[in-house]
Amino acid sequence: MLPPSDAASPRPAKRIAVIPGDGAGVEVTAEAVKALHAVSAAAGATLEFQHFDWSAERYLRDGTTLPAGAAEMLAAEFDAILFGALGDPRIADNRHAADILLGLRFQLDLYVNARPCQLLDARLTPLRDRGERDLDFILFRENSEGLYVNIGGVFKRGSADEIAVQEQINTRKGVERILRYGFEYARREKRSRLCMTDKSNALPHGHGLWQRVFAALRAEYPEIESRHLYVDALAAEMVRDPAQFQVIVAPNLLGDILSDLGAQLVGGMGVAPSANLHPGRVGLFEPVHGSAPKIAGRNLANPIGSVLSAAMLLEEIGWPAEAAALREAVRASVREGKTTSDIGGSLGTSQVGDWIADRIARQGLGRPR
Ligand code: NAI
Ligand code: MG
């Protein structure tokens, strides 16, 4: 445990790029920034924020999605990126979201999508007789290839003979680096169990590669109990007995789906955080949820997913005590029912953010668990 920071030796300021995006993303990001201000004040250290307005609004106004050079600028000038969500009913093809979010993930080569599924309070899970110790795993979704590379095409569009092809890319380097990340994480965090998932029985070419790389890598990590489950079996097991899982590594599309299932097991889309990472490079931290158009702009969105993403950000920039304090404040808000209505409370988005920031201001960095 790190001691509270020493005023005599201030840490260097960290620079955070903030991209709130659209809808509920804007509202929850404001609360995460509020919480980060509170922890930096408690730590006596500086976080500098710079906002970027890349969003549906901006795209509709002047056609800008992700400006040229933006990824390089973020990589050169910032320590981390805090991201909200993108999606707007006025932009049916989601063009701006593809350019901005997928653009940043691909251009920064953020090949790890880390999605922790940790139960904050037993009352939040829809599963019967499950407590905080039963639901505490992290899912690493491959984030740079798979079915998300947008290779394919449509032939005879609109006709009865229409054909649509969407190709899936699996590279040995891509598969190896995400699996290795999972194994290294397990080793570092003293998590003894890792599960790799795929659908290699039906996709023998693409996912057969996952099988071969997995077989080679697990030999390098004999202390970690590693196993394989087909994705359909894993989905069932996550519901039947989630306590058996600690680290899960999945291809892009499968990880996308499993992480929403995981989010639901620990309280829903409103509480699920994520990080897009490439070790040694600037990371992008965002709630798992989207812009939630039905509740956007009404002070209803749960800010916890975004605040917990900010805690992951603090961890990555080397502020673990602050990350722990932030998580503890979130836990306290859930314990005391100071939450939005999706998880049973009656507060608005900004009131939850105020409560969390205020708790940090009152308790300081305290004794994080
Ligand atoms: P969504 O995640 O926005 O909403 C799914 C459900 O969860 C809705 O019922 C919503 O009300 C609820 N929800 C989401 N965030 C919440 C929060 N903070 N608190 C309480 N409830 C919350 O996904 P949906 O509806 O499929 O997509 C909406 C838009 O967001 C679309 O344009 C989609 O493309 C985009 N999207 C963007 C993502 C991103 O920026 N990373 C991820 C997922 C969707
Ligand atoms: Mg998703």
Side-chain angles (χ1 to χ4, degrees):
M1 217 55 73
L2 292 181
S5 68
D6 175 3
S9 56
R11 283 174 293 177
K14 296 284 185 183
R15 287 176 51 72
I16 315 293
V18 182
I19 309 173
D22 301 327
V26 177
E27 296 171 88
V28 299
T29 303
E31 303 317 310
V33 169
K34 199 184 273 177
L36 286 171
H37 275 299
V39 278
S40 66
T46 306
L47 293 175
E48 293 168 5
F49 297 93
Q50 187 171 334
H51 281 66
F52 296 89
D53 69 350
W54 306 325
S55 60
E57 237 13 274
R58 176 76 189 273
Y59 175 59
L60 291 171
R61 193 167 70 237
D62 66 10
T64 302
T65 55
L66 187 67
E72 293 79 357
M73 178 275 294
L74 292 171
E77 296 178 20
F78 290 90
D79 295 290
I81 304 164
L82 181 68
F83 190 91
L86 289 170
D88 187 298
R90 292 170 296 175
I91 305 172
D93 65 0
N94 239 353
R95 165 76 202 284
H96 72 304
D99 279 9
I100 300 168
L101 183 54
L102 295 183
L104 286 175
R105 282 182 185 163
F106 285 123
Q107 288 177 42
L108 295 169
D109 196 25
L110 302 173
Y111 67 89
V112 180
N113 195 327
R115 297 185 160 188
C117 296
Q118 192 177 25
L119 187 60
L120 297 171
D121 188 294
R123 283 172 302 172
L124 295 190
T125 182
L127 300 180
R128 205 181 332 114
D129 301 331
R130 294 290 174 186
E132 289 153 52
R133 266 186 302 193
D134 300 315
L135 271 153
D136 185 7
F137 61 86
I138 185 161
L139 189 136
F140 294 116
R141 161 185 170 193
E142 202 293 317
N143 210 29
S144 63
E145 45 186 55
L147 264 164
Y148 287 62
V149 294
N150 196 22
I151 297 177
V154 176
F155 183 47
K156 300 185 181 173
R157 181 187 288 274
S159 77
D161 296 324
E162 182 161 359
I163 298 168
V165 175
Q166 191 88 46
E167 305 245 41
Q168 179 181 166
I169 300 300
N170 299 271
T171 67
R172 180 171 284 274
K173 281 186 189 137
V175 174
E176 179 174 343
R177 66 183 182 173
I178 187 67
L179 278 169
R180 191 174 290 288
Y181 189 93
F183 276 111
E184 288 293 328
Y185 174 91
R187 181 175 272 175
R188 190 173 71 240
E189 299 296 322
K190 312 233 175 320
R191 306 288 249 163
S192 59
R193 294 196 294 275
L194 180 146
C195 176
M196 190 278 272
T197 191
D198 61 32
K199 188 68 186 171
S200 51
N201 45 352
L203 309 174
H205 311 300
H207 287 179
L209 178 60
W210 283 74
Q211 288 285 331
R212 295 195 301 280
V213 175
F214 181 56
L217 269 192
R218 62 197 301 200
E220 290 183 38
Y221 299 88
E223 80 278 19
I224 295 162
E225 192 189 311
S226 56
R227 67 197 277 222
H228 167 260
L229 283 175
Y230 294 123
V231 67
D232 36 5
L234 172 58
E237 285 299 300
M238 278 170 64
V239 175
R240 190 187 66 82
D241 180 20
Q244 64 187 299
F245 300 109
Q246 294 184 336
V247 178
I248 297 173
V249 184
N252 206 337
L253 175 68
L254 308 187
D256 191 0
I257 299 166
L258 291 172
S259 60
D260 278 27
L261 170 58
Q264 213 54 53
L265 295 179
V266 298
M269 297 307 290
V271 302
S274 78
N276 299 265
L277 305 169
H278 182 134
R281 299 196 189 172
V282 67
L284 185 153
F285 302 82
E286 52 167 343
V288 171
H289 66 76
S291 58
K294 273 190 266 169
I295 59 168
R298 296 161 58 198
N299 202 31
L300 290 173
N302 191 338
I304 286 182
S306 186
V307 173
L308 290 176
S309 304
M312 296 179 83
L313 181 157
L314 291 170
E315 199 89 55
E316 282 295 319
I317 64 171
W319 291 24
E322 288 75 11
L326 195 45
R327 288 198 183 99
E328 179 48 32
V330 169
R331 232 179 242 285
S333 78
V334 174
R335 208 165 45 229
E336 299 188 22
K338 307 294 184 191
T339 67
T340 47
S341 58
D342 56 308
I343 55 169
S346 58
L347 298 186
T349 309
S350 59
Q351 286 69 45
V352 174
D354 287 344
W355 195 92
I356 291 169
D358 187 55
R359 158 113 185 173
I360 292 164
R362 276 184 287 117
Q363 305 241 324
L365 296 182
R367 285 181 181 280
R369 288 195 293 192

